[in-house]
Amino acid sequence: MKKLLCLLAFACVVGTSAQNKRLPQLGKDPVEKILRAMTLEEKAAMLVGVSVEEGSSLVANVAGTTCAVSRLGIPHTYLQDGPSGLRIDTVRKGDTRKYYCTGFPVATLLASTWNDKLVTKVGATMGEELNSYGIDVLLAPGLNIQRNPLNGRNFEYYSEDPLLSGYMAAAIVRGLQSQGVGGTIKHFAANNQQSMRMFNDARISQRALREIYLRNFEIAIRESNPWAVMSSYNSLNGQRVQSHRGLLTDLLRGEWGFRGVVMTDWGEPRITVDQIHAGNDLLMGGKPQQVKDIVEGVKNGALSEADVDEGVRRVLRYVLKTKSFKGHQATWNPDLKAHAVVACEAAEEGIVLLKNGRTALPLAKDEKVALFGVGSYNFYANGLGSADVNTPYTINMIQGLANANVSIHPRLDQYYRQYIANEDFQLGEANTPSWKNWFFGYKKPKEADLDPSFIGYRAKDCSKAIITIARNAGECEDRDYKEGDYLLTPTERKLIENVSKAFHAKKKPVVVVLNTGGAMDIASWQGLVDAILLVWQPGEEGGNAVANVLTGKVCPSGKLPMTLANAYTDIPASKNFPLHYKFSWDELLRPGAEVMAKKDLGYTLYEEDIWVGYRHFNTRGCEVAYPFGYGLSYTTFAYGTPTMKVKNGRCKVAVKVTNTGKVSGKEVVQLYATAPKGKLEKPLRELKAYGKTPLIAPGESAVVEMDFPLSDLASFDEDRMAWVTDAGTYILSVGASVEDIRATLQLAVKRETVKPVKTRI
C-alpha cells in the first residue's frame, strides 16, 4: 500500500537514508529520544489529525490519519468509523472490483443479547475486517446513556443502564484489540442528544454524573483498557468538554488511570490551545491552522511545551502498537461469508420477544403467511450517518422467510413490489445522491393504505399475518415525538387494526415485527395484536435472523436493555429534551445567541438526576409497557436457590437455571442490589451483574455465576465528594427482569467505606 502524503508537508519531512542513520528511529530508540529529536513544528503536527484526500490509494475515504514524520521512522496510522461495522467506500481508485464490509447489528441489539462473550466475538470479527483493509483504529464503540428514547443516535449506544453499557462496550473493545487494532470509546461525556450536539450545555449534578453518565466509561476503561477515548463536542456544566482539563486529565487519567490517547470528535468548533492543554492528544478532522496555533501558543506562552510533549509522547506510544507501524499489508479480502455467520448469530440472540399470545409464534412448517408492511421490503440493517455500513447485501423479511421455507402469499408480494417501485419513482428527484441524503437518510415510501376487502381475502387463505413496522435515525438529528417516528402513522395504525380485525374474525393470530433502532410507542396498540417481536436493526443478515426466530429454529433469548414506557410523558427526561426543531446546516455549525439561550437547545437541565429508566419506574412503582431486562422465550426456566461468596473485595453469586419447557433455549439472569436506608435516596434496585446460560436442552440445567466488586455498592455523596458504601444489609435480587425477581440473598456490610474524589466536574 502506498503511504499517503501528509497535508502538513512542512512537518512530514522525508529524510535521506544517510540522515536516517544519524537520527533516532521509532521502535529502535526510546520514545523520549524520538521526542527530543523532534522540532516544535513536528510535535505540533503529531497532535493534529490529517484528513485523507479524495482519490487516495486507500479503499475508503478514511475518517482521518495521524501525521507521519518519516525521518524519525513515524508512519501514518488510519482511523475509521463505525459502530455497526467498518465503514468504507465500495470503490478503490483504478480498481473495478467492489469492496464491502459486514453490517453487524446495532449496539442496542448487541446489548439485548446480555452476552459478553458473543459481543467480544463480534468485536474480534470487526477487528479482522480492519486488518483486511489496513485500518488501525475503529471509531467505536459509543456508550452514552439512553437517557431519552428520542436521541437520534441511541441505536449506536447500548442501554439506559451504565453497568450494562460499560460491560458491552468493554466486550467490543476486547474483541477489537485481540486482533491488534484499537477501539475508541465515545462520546466522552454526557452527549445524550443530537440537537445542538456541538454546543449544548448538559447541566448535571455531581451525583448523576458519577453514578450514571461517567460510570459507563469508567467500567469500560477498567474492563478493556481501550486504545482511545473520543472527547465529545458538548459542554458540561458550563465548560466545553474538549477544553475540560478536569474531565480529560484529572479524572480520566488521574482518577481512572487511563493511559491511551484522547482524540477530539471531528470538526468544529476548534479551540486548539485549550484543547491540547485539557488533555486531547489528537485534534481530529485536523487543519493546518491548528498546527500553527500550537506552535504560536508555545512561543507566546499560552501553551506549555510540557503539555505538547505529553500529548506527543502518548501519540508515539499509540503508533508503536499499530499494524501500520509494524508493516502490516492490507489484503483487501475479508472473509465476508464467515463474518456474516457471526452477524446473524448476534442478531438472533438480541431479538426480543415482547408478546406471544394465541400461540402465534413460532410459525409452523406448513403455514402460509400474509406479510404486510412496506418495512418488510425496506428493511433497516443499521442506522444513518457514520454508523452506515456499505454491505454486500441486506436480507429483508421477504428474503429471510423465503430462505426459511415459509410460504408467503404471492398477491401481497406482488402488490408491495409494485407499490414501492411507484413510490420510489416519485421520490427519485428528492433522492438524488448527495451527502445530505447519505447523512440524514433517503426518503422512503410511506405505508400503503390497503383496502379492507383485500386484507379480508388474505385472512381467508393465510394462517397468520405478520406486519413489519420500520424506523430509522442517525446523527445530527434527534427523533421526534410524532406520527411516523415515535408514534405510528394513521395509516400504520389502520393497517394493524384492519389486519387484526380480519384475521381475528377467522381466529387467526397477528404478529408485529418492529425493525427500529430505538424505542417507540407500543402500549397504545399492543392490545390489538397477538405477538410482538422487537428485532431492532439487526445488520445485513437481519431477515434471516428474524425468520429463524419466527420459525423457532432459534429460541428467542434477548432481553430489553431499556424500559419501554406506557407513554412518552412518563419518561422523566421527556420534560427536558428538544422536540419539533429542525436545524439548518449553518445553525448546526454556528448557532445564534437566540438558539443558545433556548432551554434544551443551548442548554439542557438533567432535572431527573439519577432517576433514569428503570431507576425511576421501578422505584416509583410506575407501570410500564415492558420493564428493563424483560424478554420472553419459547421455553420456560426455573431458578434454584442462589449461593453467595464474598472474598477479596468481590461478591460472587451463583444460581442453577433449569429448562422446564419443551425446546432448547438460553436464559439471561440479572443480579440487582437494594441498599439499606441511609442519607441518600437510592433506587429500589440497581443492576450489579448479569450472566447468560449456554443453550440448555429441556430438562437440563446450567449454573450461572455473577460477580461484582463490593465497591460497586457505593453511591456518590456530593456533600462529601466521595463514593460512600453504607454499612448495613443489602438485598441481592436474582431475577429474569428488574420486576421479575426469582430469589433474594442478604449481604451484610459491617462498616461504612468512604472513597473521596478530587475532581468536581
Side-chain angles (χ1 to χ4, degrees), residues 106 108-109 149 155 379-380 382 468-473 479 485-486 513-520 522 533-538 562 564:
V106 297
T108 303
L109 183 147
F155 68 93
F379 200 77
Y380 294 123
N382 50 257
T468 306
I469 303 293
R471 295 287 188 271
N472 207 358
R479 297 172 58 200
D485 197 338
Y486 189 78
V513 171
L514 293 176
N515 172 213
T516 173
M520 59 181 290
I522 297 175
L533 195 66
L534 179 55
V535 307
W536 307 111
Q537 289 170 329
M562 83 283 283
L564 298 182

PDB file of all heavy atoms in Angstrom, residues 106 108-109 149 155 379-380 382 468-473 479 485-486 513-520 522 533-538 562 564:
ATOM      1  N   VAL A 106     -26.941  -3.294  15.346  1.00  0.00           N
ATOM      2  CA  VAL A 106     -26.650  -2.063  16.073  1.00  0.00           C
ATOM      3  C   VAL A 106     -26.367  -2.376  17.537  1.00  0.00           C
ATOM      4  O   VAL A 106     -26.692  -3.450  18.053  1.00  0.00           O
ATOM      5  CB  VAL A 106     -27.803  -1.053  15.946  1.00  0.00           C
ATOM      6  CG1 VAL A 106     -28.004  -0.637  14.502  1.00  0.00           C
ATOM      7  CG2 VAL A 106     -29.101  -1.609  16.542  1.00  0.00           C
ATOM      8  N   THR A 108     -27.622  -1.373  20.353  1.00  0.00           N
ATOM      9  CA  THR A 108     -28.744  -1.670  21.244  1.00  0.00           C
ATOM     10  C   THR A 108     -29.135  -3.138  21.152  1.00  0.00           C
ATOM     11  O   THR A 108     -29.477  -3.771  22.156  1.00  0.00           O
ATOM     12  CB  THR A 108     -29.944  -0.770  20.917  1.00  0.00           C
ATOM     13  OG1 THR A 108     -29.538   0.596  21.024  1.00  0.00           O
ATOM     14  CG2 THR A 108     -31.088  -1.016  21.880  1.00  0.00           C
ATOM     15  N   LEU A 109     -29.099  -3.700  19.946  1.00  0.00           N
ATOM     16  CA  LEU A 109     -29.369  -5.130  19.812  1.00  0.00           C
ATOM     17  C   LEU A 109     -28.278  -5.956  20.488  1.00  0.00           C
ATOM     18  O   LEU A 109     -28.577  -6.945  21.172  1.00  0.00           O
ATOM     19  CB  LEU A 109     -29.493  -5.532  18.345  1.00  0.00           C
ATOM     20  CG  LEU A 109     -29.858  -7.012  18.101  1.00  0.00           C
ATOM     21  CD1 LEU A 109     -30.707  -7.164  16.855  1.00  0.00           C
ATOM     22  CD2 LEU A 109     -28.634  -7.911  17.994  1.00  0.00           C
ATOM     23  N   PRO A 149     -35.564   8.202  24.799  1.00  0.00           N
ATOM     24  CA  PRO A 149     -35.650   7.345  23.613  1.00  0.00           C
ATOM     25  C   PRO A 149     -35.569   8.092  22.294  1.00  0.00           C
ATOM     26  O   PRO A 149     -35.396   7.460  21.250  1.00  0.00           O
ATOM     27  CB  PRO A 149     -37.014   6.665  23.764  1.00  0.00           C
ATOM     28  CG  PRO A 149     -37.808   7.569  24.647  1.00  0.00           C
ATOM     29  CD  PRO A 149     -36.820   8.167  25.592  1.00  0.00           C
ATOM     30  N   PHE A 155     -29.332   4.210  18.827  1.00  0.00           N
ATOM     31  CA  PHE A 155     -29.051   2.880  18.294  1.00  0.00           C
ATOM     32  C   PHE A 155     -27.558   2.559  18.331  1.00  0.00           C
ATOM     33  O   PHE A 155     -27.169   1.390  18.318  1.00  0.00           O
ATOM     34  CB  PHE A 155     -29.568   2.759  16.852  1.00  0.00           C
ATOM     35  CG  PHE A 155     -28.819   3.610  15.870  1.00  0.00           C
ATOM     36  CD1 PHE A 155     -27.748   3.094  15.159  1.00  0.00           C
ATOM     37  CD2 PHE A 155     -29.178   4.937  15.646  1.00  0.00           C
ATOM     38  CE1 PHE A 155     -27.043   3.882  14.255  1.00  0.00           C
ATOM     39  CE2 PHE A 155     -28.485   5.724  14.747  1.00  0.00           C
ATOM     40  CZ  PHE A 155     -27.411   5.195  14.052  1.00  0.00           C
ATOM     41  N   PHE A 379     -36.114  -2.884   4.652  1.00  0.00           N
ATOM     42  CA  PHE A 379     -35.672  -3.343   5.959  1.00  0.00           C
ATOM     43  C   PHE A 379     -34.391  -2.610   6.340  1.00  0.00           C
ATOM     44  O   PHE A 379     -33.464  -2.499   5.539  1.00  0.00           O
ATOM     45  CB  PHE A 379     -35.420  -4.856   5.902  1.00  0.00           C
ATOM     46  CG  PHE A 379     -35.425  -5.529   7.233  1.00  0.00           C
ATOM     47  CD1 PHE A 379     -36.612  -5.797   7.893  1.00  0.00           C
ATOM     48  CD2 PHE A 379     -34.242  -5.930   7.832  1.00  0.00           C
ATOM     49  CE1 PHE A 379     -36.620  -6.439   9.110  1.00  0.00           C
ATOM     50  CE2 PHE A 379     -34.242  -6.572   9.057  1.00  0.00           C
ATOM     51  CZ  PHE A 379     -35.435  -6.829   9.697  1.00  0.00           C
ATOM     52  N   TYR A 380     -34.338  -2.090   7.566  1.00  0.00           N
ATOM     53  CA  TYR A 380     -33.177  -1.325   8.016  1.00  0.00           C
ATOM     54  C   TYR A 380     -32.190  -2.231   8.736  1.00  0.00           C
ATOM     55  O   TYR A 380     -32.469  -2.752   9.810  1.00  0.00           O
ATOM     56  CB  TYR A 380     -33.606  -0.189   8.937  1.00  0.00           C
ATOM     57  CG  TYR A 380     -34.439   0.868   8.252  1.00  0.00           C
ATOM     58  CD1 TYR A 380     -35.711   1.195   8.720  1.00  0.00           C
ATOM     59  CD2 TYR A 380     -33.956   1.536   7.130  1.00  0.00           C
ATOM     60  CE1 TYR A 380     -36.475   2.169   8.097  1.00  0.00           C
ATOM     61  CE2 TYR A 380     -34.712   2.510   6.497  1.00  0.00           C
ATOM     62  CZ  TYR A 380     -35.976   2.823   6.983  1.00  0.00           C
ATOM     63  OH  TYR A 380     -36.722   3.782   6.356  1.00  0.00           O
ATOM     64  N   ASN A 382     -29.069  -1.109   9.669  1.00  0.00           N
ATOM     65  CA  ASN A 382     -28.380  -0.272  10.640  1.00  0.00           C
ATOM     66  C   ASN A 382     -28.827   1.166  10.462  1.00  0.00           C
ATOM     67  O   ASN A 382     -29.644   1.474   9.592  1.00  0.00           O
ATOM     68  CB  ASN A 382     -26.864  -0.380  10.493  1.00  0.00           C
ATOM     69  CG  ASN A 382     -26.381  -0.182   9.066  1.00  0.00           C
ATOM     70  OD1 ASN A 382     -26.044  -1.142   8.382  1.00  0.00           O
ATOM     71  ND2 ASN A 382     -26.361   1.063   8.594  1.00  0.00           N
ATOM     72  N   THR A 468     -44.722  -5.699   9.405  1.00  0.00           N
ATOM     73  CA  THR A 468     -43.427  -5.111   9.758  1.00  0.00           C
ATOM     74  C   THR A 468     -43.539  -3.597   9.792  1.00  0.00           C
ATOM     75  O   THR A 468     -43.966  -2.974   8.820  1.00  0.00           O
ATOM     76  CB  THR A 468     -42.335  -5.515   8.756  1.00  0.00           C
ATOM     77  OG1 THR A 468     -42.299  -6.941   8.647  1.00  0.00           O
ATOM     78  CG2 THR A 468     -40.969  -5.019   9.214  1.00  0.00           C
ATOM     79  N   ILE A 469     -43.168  -3.013  10.932  1.00  0.00           N
ATOM     80  CA  ILE A 469     -43.109  -1.562  11.099  1.00  0.00           C
ATOM     81  C   ILE A 469     -41.639  -1.178  11.228  1.00  0.00           C
ATOM     82  O   ILE A 469     -40.921  -1.718  12.073  1.00  0.00           O
ATOM     83  CB  ILE A 469     -43.879  -1.103  12.354  1.00  0.00           C
ATOM     84  CG1 ILE A 469     -45.336  -1.569  12.301  1.00  0.00           C
ATOM     85  CG2 ILE A 469     -43.770   0.407  12.519  1.00  0.00           C
ATOM     86  CD1 ILE A 469     -46.163  -0.936  11.214  1.00  0.00           C
ATOM     87  N   ALA A 470     -41.164  -0.236  10.399  1.00  0.00           N
ATOM     88  CA  ALA A 470     -39.740   0.104  10.364  1.00  0.00           C
ATOM     89  C   ALA A 470     -39.514   1.583  10.689  1.00  0.00           C
ATOM     90  O   ALA A 470     -40.306   2.450  10.303  1.00  0.00           O
ATOM     91  CB  ALA A 470     -39.155  -0.228   8.992  1.00  0.00           C
ATOM     92  N   ARG A 471     -38.417   1.840  11.400  1.00  0.00           N
ATOM     93  CA  ARG A 471     -37.993   3.199  11.742  1.00  0.00           C
ATOM     94  C   ARG A 471     -36.476   3.304  11.593  1.00  0.00           C
ATOM     95  O   ARG A 471     -35.754   2.339  11.815  1.00  0.00           O
ATOM     96  CB  ARG A 471     -38.364   3.546  13.195  1.00  0.00           C
ATOM     97  CG  ARG A 471     -39.857   3.607  13.475  1.00  0.00           C
ATOM     98  CD  ARG A 471     -40.474   4.857  12.860  1.00  0.00           C
ATOM     99  NE  ARG A 471     -41.849   5.041  13.272  1.00  0.00           N
ATOM    100  CZ  ARG A 471     -42.903   4.531  12.647  1.00  0.00           C
ATOM    101  NH1 ARG A 471     -42.736   3.778  11.556  1.00  0.00           N
ATOM    102  NH2 ARG A 471     -44.118   4.763  13.089  1.00  0.00           N
ATOM    103  N   ASN A 472     -35.999   4.511  11.265  1.00  0.00           N
ATOM    104  CA  ASN A 472     -34.557   4.729  11.185  1.00  0.00           C
ATOM    105  C   ASN A 472     -34.219   6.104  11.736  1.00  0.00           C
ATOM    106  O   ASN A 472     -35.086   6.982  11.854  1.00  0.00           O
ATOM    107  CB  ASN A 472     -34.058   4.596   9.741  1.00  0.00           C
ATOM    108  CG  ASN A 472     -32.610   4.161   9.672  1.00  0.00           C
ATOM    109  OD1 ASN A 472     -31.954   3.981  10.698  1.00  0.00           O
ATOM    110  ND2 ASN A 472     -32.095   3.978   8.469  1.00  0.00           N
ATOM    111  N   ALA A 473     -32.953   6.305  12.096  1.00  0.00           N
ATOM    112  CA  ALA A 473     -32.480   7.572  12.647  1.00  0.00           C
ATOM    113  C   ALA A 473     -30.973   7.640  12.460  1.00  0.00           C
ATOM    114  O   ALA A 473     -30.348   6.694  11.987  1.00  0.00           O
ATOM    115  CB  ALA A 473     -32.854   7.687  14.125  1.00  0.00           C
ATOM    116  N   ARG A 479     -34.730  12.178  17.017  1.00  0.00           N
ATOM    117  CA  ARG A 479     -36.056  11.730  16.610  1.00  0.00           C
ATOM    118  C   ARG A 479     -37.095  12.681  17.195  1.00  0.00           C
ATOM    119  O   ARG A 479     -36.773  13.603  17.949  1.00  0.00           O
ATOM    120  CB  ARG A 479     -36.294  10.300  17.107  1.00  0.00           C
ATOM    121  CG  ARG A 479     -35.342   9.282  16.510  1.00  0.00           C
ATOM    122  CD  ARG A 479     -35.514   7.930  17.182  1.00  0.00           C
ATOM    123  NE  ARG A 479     -36.884   7.460  17.048  1.00  0.00           N
ATOM    124  CZ  ARG A 479     -37.441   6.525  17.827  1.00  0.00           C
ATOM    125  NH1 ARG A 479     -36.737   5.979  18.813  1.00  0.00           N
ATOM    126  NH2 ARG A 479     -38.676   6.137  17.628  1.00  0.00           N
ATOM    127  N   ASP A 485     -42.666   8.460  13.630  1.00  0.00           N
ATOM    128  CA  ASP A 485     -41.394   8.308  14.331  1.00  0.00           C
ATOM    129  C   ASP A 485     -41.665   7.547  15.628  1.00  0.00           C
ATOM    130  O   ASP A 485     -41.792   6.333  15.611  1.00  0.00           O
ATOM    131  CB  ASP A 485     -40.757   9.673  14.591  1.00  0.00           C
ATOM    132  CG  ASP A 485     -39.281   9.566  14.933  1.00  0.00           C
ATOM    133  OD1 ASP A 485     -38.848   8.487  15.365  1.00  0.00           O
ATOM    134  OD2 ASP A 485     -38.545  10.557  14.790  1.00  0.00           O
ATOM    135  N   TYR A 486     -41.799   8.242  16.746  1.00  0.00           N
ATOM    136  CA  TYR A 486     -42.091   7.525  17.996  1.00  0.00           C
ATOM    137  C   TYR A 486     -43.488   6.900  17.949  1.00  0.00           C
ATOM    138  O   TYR A 486     -43.726   5.835  18.498  1.00  0.00           O
ATOM    139  CB  TYR A 486     -41.970   8.471  19.187  1.00  0.00           C
ATOM    140  CG  TYR A 486     -42.049   7.777  20.525  1.00  0.00           C
ATOM    141  CD1 TYR A 486     -40.945   7.096  21.036  1.00  0.00           C
ATOM    142  CD2 TYR A 486     -43.220   7.796  21.282  1.00  0.00           C
ATOM    143  CE1 TYR A 486     -41.008   6.449  22.264  1.00  0.00           C
ATOM    144  CE2 TYR A 486     -43.291   7.159  22.512  1.00  0.00           C
ATOM    145  CZ  TYR A 486     -42.186   6.484  22.997  1.00  0.00           C
ATOM    146  OH  TYR A 486     -42.254   5.837  24.212  1.00  0.00           O
ATOM    147  N   VAL A 513     -43.684  -7.188  13.722  1.00  0.00           N
ATOM    148  CA  VAL A 513     -42.226  -7.149  13.794  1.00  0.00           C
ATOM    149  C   VAL A 513     -41.800  -5.684  13.783  1.00  0.00           C
ATOM    150  O   VAL A 513     -42.163  -4.941  12.867  1.00  0.00           O
ATOM    151  CB  VAL A 513     -41.588  -7.906  12.613  1.00  0.00           C
ATOM    152  CG1 VAL A 513     -40.082  -7.670  12.566  1.00  0.00           C
ATOM    153  CG2 VAL A 513     -41.891  -9.396  12.705  1.00  0.00           C
ATOM    154  N   LEU A 514     -41.047  -5.265  14.809  1.00  0.00           N
ATOM    155  CA  LEU A 514     -40.583  -3.890  14.909  1.00  0.00           C
ATOM    156  C   LEU A 514     -39.115  -3.815  14.513  1.00  0.00           C
ATOM    157  O   LEU A 514     -38.237  -4.311  15.223  1.00  0.00           O
ATOM    158  CB  LEU A 514     -40.767  -3.376  16.339  1.00  0.00           C
ATOM    159  CG  LEU A 514     -42.215  -3.220  16.815  1.00  0.00           C
ATOM    160  CD1 LEU A 514     -42.242  -2.796  18.280  1.00  0.00           C
ATOM    161  CD2 LEU A 514     -42.968  -2.223  15.953  1.00  0.00           C
ATOM    162  N   ASN A 515     -38.853  -3.197  13.366  1.00  0.00           N
ATOM    163  CA  ASN A 515     -37.500  -3.023  12.834  1.00  0.00           C
ATOM    164  C   ASN A 515     -37.090  -1.580  13.114  1.00  0.00           C
ATOM    165  O   ASN A 515     -37.276  -0.695  12.294  1.00  0.00           O
ATOM    166  CB  ASN A 515     -37.507  -3.335  11.332  1.00  0.00           C
ATOM    167  CG  ASN A 515     -36.221  -3.007  10.620  1.00  0.00           C
ATOM    168  OD1 ASN A 515     -36.238  -2.629   9.451  1.00  0.00           O
ATOM    169  ND2 ASN A 515     -35.088  -3.136  11.275  1.00  0.00           N
ATOM    170  N   THR A 516     -36.543  -1.341  14.301  1.00  0.00           N
ATOM    171  CA  THR A 516     -36.284   0.017  14.753  1.00  0.00           C
ATOM    172  C   THR A 516     -34.988   0.073  15.527  1.00  0.00           C
ATOM    173  O   THR A 516     -34.620  -0.876  16.227  1.00  0.00           O
ATOM    174  CB  THR A 516     -37.441   0.532  15.638  1.00  0.00           C
ATOM    175  OG1 THR A 516     -37.101   1.795  16.197  1.00  0.00           O
ATOM    176  CG2 THR A 516     -37.760  -0.435  16.761  1.00  0.00           C
ATOM    177  N   GLY A 517     -34.277   1.212  15.408  1.00  0.00           N
ATOM    178  CA  GLY A 517     -33.037   1.364  16.148  1.00  0.00           C
ATOM    179  C   GLY A 517     -33.239   1.712  17.601  1.00  0.00           C
ATOM    180  O   GLY A 517     -32.333   1.570  18.420  1.00  0.00           O
ATOM    181  N   GLY A 518     -34.426   2.204  17.946  1.00  0.00           N
ATOM    182  CA  GLY A 518     -34.684   2.612  19.323  1.00  0.00           C
ATOM    183  C   GLY A 518     -36.119   2.367  19.715  1.00  0.00           C
ATOM    184  O   GLY A 518     -36.922   1.827  18.947  1.00  0.00           O
ATOM    185  N   ALA A 519     -36.452   2.795  20.916  1.00  0.00           N
ATOM    186  CA  ALA A 519     -37.791   2.580  21.451  1.00  0.00           C
ATOM    187  C   ALA A 519     -38.826   3.398  20.683  1.00  0.00           C
ATOM    188  O   ALA A 519     -38.525   4.446  20.112  1.00  0.00           O
ATOM    189  CB  ALA A 519     -37.828   2.956  22.926  1.00  0.00           C
ATOM    190  N   MET A 520     -40.044   2.900  20.662  1.00  0.00           N
ATOM    191  CA  MET A 520     -41.172   3.628  20.104  1.00  0.00           C
ATOM    192  C   MET A 520     -42.425   3.237  20.881  1.00  0.00           C
ATOM    193  O   MET A 520     -42.395   2.318  21.719  1.00  0.00           O
ATOM    194  CB  MET A 520     -41.346   3.328  18.616  1.00  0.00           C
ATOM    195  CG  MET A 520     -41.564   1.873  18.271  1.00  0.00           C
ATOM    196  SD  MET A 520     -41.744   1.585  16.492  1.00  0.00           S
ATOM    197  CE  MET A 520     -43.343   2.349  16.181  1.00  0.00           C
ATOM    198  N   ILE A 522     -45.533   1.457  21.971  1.00  0.00           N
ATOM    199  CA  ILE A 522     -46.097   0.121  21.799  1.00  0.00           C
ATOM    200  C   ILE A 522     -47.393  -0.017  22.587  1.00  0.00           C
ATOM    201  O   ILE A 522     -48.333  -0.678  22.161  1.00  0.00           O
ATOM    202  CB  ILE A 522     -45.082  -0.958  22.242  1.00  0.00           C
ATOM    203  CG1 ILE A 522     -43.841  -0.920  21.361  1.00  0.00           C
ATOM    204  CG2 ILE A 522     -45.699  -2.353  22.188  1.00  0.00           C
ATOM    205  CD1 ILE A 522     -42.738  -1.868  21.807  1.00  0.00           C
ATOM    206  N   LEU A 533     -42.505  -8.843  18.071  1.00  0.00           N
ATOM    207  CA  LEU A 533     -41.105  -9.225  18.035  1.00  0.00           C
ATOM    208  C   LEU A 533     -40.280  -7.971  17.749  1.00  0.00           C
ATOM    209  O   LEU A 533     -40.398  -7.371  16.683  1.00  0.00           O
ATOM    210  CB  LEU A 533     -40.864 -10.279  16.952  1.00  0.00           C
ATOM    211  CG  LEU A 533     -39.544 -11.051  17.014  1.00  0.00           C
ATOM    212  CD1 LEU A 533     -39.489 -11.931  18.262  1.00  0.00           C
ATOM    213  CD2 LEU A 533     -39.376 -11.910  15.765  1.00  0.00           C
ATOM    214  N   LEU A 534     -39.471  -7.564  18.717  1.00  0.00           N
ATOM    215  CA  LEU A 534     -38.626  -6.385  18.583  1.00  0.00           C
ATOM    216  C   LEU A 534     -37.268  -6.829  18.049  1.00  0.00           C
ATOM    217  O   LEU A 534     -36.473  -7.440  18.762  1.00  0.00           O
ATOM    218  CB  LEU A 534     -38.471  -5.695  19.943  1.00  0.00           C
ATOM    219  CG  LEU A 534     -37.611  -4.444  20.018  1.00  0.00           C
ATOM    220  CD1 LEU A 534     -38.054  -3.381  19.028  1.00  0.00           C
ATOM    221  CD2 LEU A 534     -37.624  -3.880  21.440  1.00  0.00           C
ATOM    222  N   VAL A 535     -37.010  -6.548  16.773  1.00  0.00           N
ATOM    223  CA  VAL A 535     -35.807  -7.069  16.113  1.00  0.00           C
ATOM    224  C   VAL A 535     -34.733  -6.003  15.958  1.00  0.00           C
ATOM    225  O   VAL A 535     -33.670  -6.283  15.408  1.00  0.00           O
ATOM    226  CB  VAL A 535     -36.153  -7.689  14.751  1.00  0.00           C
ATOM    227  CG1 VAL A 535     -37.265  -8.711  14.899  1.00  0.00           C
ATOM    228  CG2 VAL A 535     -36.535  -6.637  13.712  1.00  0.00           C
ATOM    229  N   TRP A 536     -35.000  -4.770  16.429  1.00  0.00           N
ATOM    230  CA  TRP A 536     -34.046  -3.675  16.340  1.00  0.00           C
ATOM    231  C   TRP A 536     -33.605  -3.460  14.889  1.00  0.00           C
ATOM    232  O   TRP A 536     -34.383  -3.646  13.982  1.00  0.00           O
ATOM    233  CB  TRP A 536     -32.845  -3.926  17.255  1.00  0.00           C
ATOM    234  CG  TRP A 536     -33.195  -4.219  18.680  1.00  0.00           C
ATOM    235  CD1 TRP A 536     -33.060  -5.411  19.338  1.00  0.00           C
ATOM    236  CD2 TRP A 536     -33.774  -3.311  19.639  1.00  0.00           C
ATOM    237  NE1 TRP A 536     -33.482  -5.305  20.641  1.00  0.00           N
ATOM    238  CE2 TRP A 536     -33.926  -4.034  20.859  1.00  0.00           C
ATOM    239  CE3 TRP A 536     -34.152  -1.969  19.601  1.00  0.00           C
ATOM    240  CZ2 TRP A 536     -34.446  -3.453  22.007  1.00  0.00           C
ATOM    241  CZ3 TRP A 536     -34.669  -1.394  20.743  1.00  0.00           C
ATOM    242  CH2 TRP A 536     -34.803  -2.131  21.925  1.00  0.00           C
ATOM    243  N   GLN A 537     -32.354  -3.098  14.691  1.00  0.00           N
ATOM    244  CA  GLN A 537     -31.745  -3.054  13.356  1.00  0.00           C
ATOM    245  C   GLN A 537     -30.666  -4.134  13.365  1.00  0.00           C
ATOM    246  O   GLN A 537     -29.580  -3.944  13.908  1.00  0.00           O
ATOM    247  CB  GLN A 537     -31.172  -1.669  13.061  1.00  0.00           C
ATOM    248  CG  GLN A 537     -32.278  -0.634  12.845  1.00  0.00           C
ATOM    249  CD  GLN A 537     -31.763   0.785  12.797  1.00  0.00           C
ATOM    250  OE1 GLN A 537     -30.779   1.128  13.437  1.00  0.00           O
ATOM    251  NE2 GLN A 537     -32.450   1.637  12.048  1.00  0.00           N
ATOM    252  N   PRO A 538     -30.979  -5.290  12.785  1.00  0.00           N
ATOM    253  CA  PRO A 538     -30.197  -6.490  13.050  1.00  0.00           C
ATOM    254  C   PRO A 538     -29.062  -6.776  12.078  1.00  0.00           C
ATOM    255  O   PRO A 538     -28.574  -7.908  12.030  1.00  0.00           O
ATOM    256  CB  PRO A 538     -31.256  -7.584  12.995  1.00  0.00           C
ATOM    257  CG  PRO A 538     -32.271  -7.077  12.027  1.00  0.00           C
ATOM    258  CD  PRO A 538     -32.257  -5.586  12.113  1.00  0.00           C
ATOM    259  N   MET A 562     -33.419  -1.433  27.972  1.00  0.00           N
ATOM    260  CA  MET A 562     -34.058  -0.201  28.422  1.00  0.00           C
ATOM    261  C   MET A 562     -35.508  -0.491  28.764  1.00  0.00           C
ATOM    262  O   MET A 562     -36.044  -1.544  28.432  1.00  0.00           O
ATOM    263  CB  MET A 562     -33.985   0.897  27.360  1.00  0.00           C
ATOM    264  CG  MET A 562     -35.047   0.850  26.287  1.00  0.00           C
ATOM    265  SD  MET A 562     -34.779  -0.382  25.027  1.00  0.00           S
ATOM    266  CE  MET A 562     -33.524   0.461  24.079  1.00  0.00           C
ATOM    267  N   LEU A 564     -39.452   0.168  28.266  1.00  0.00           N
ATOM    268  CA  LEU A 564     -40.411   0.664  27.278  1.00  0.00           C
ATOM    269  C   LEU A 564     -41.607   1.208  28.049  1.00  0.00           C
ATOM    270  O   LEU A 564     -42.347   0.459  28.688  1.00  0.00           O
ATOM    271  CB  LEU A 564     -40.824  -0.456  26.321  1.00  0.00           C
ATOM    272  CG  LEU A 564     -39.697  -1.045  25.476  1.00  0.00           C
ATOM    273  CD1 LEU A 564     -40.229  -2.116  24.531  1.00  0.00           C
ATOM    274  CD2 LEU A 564     -38.962   0.034  24.682  1.00  0.00           C
TER     275      LEU A 564
END
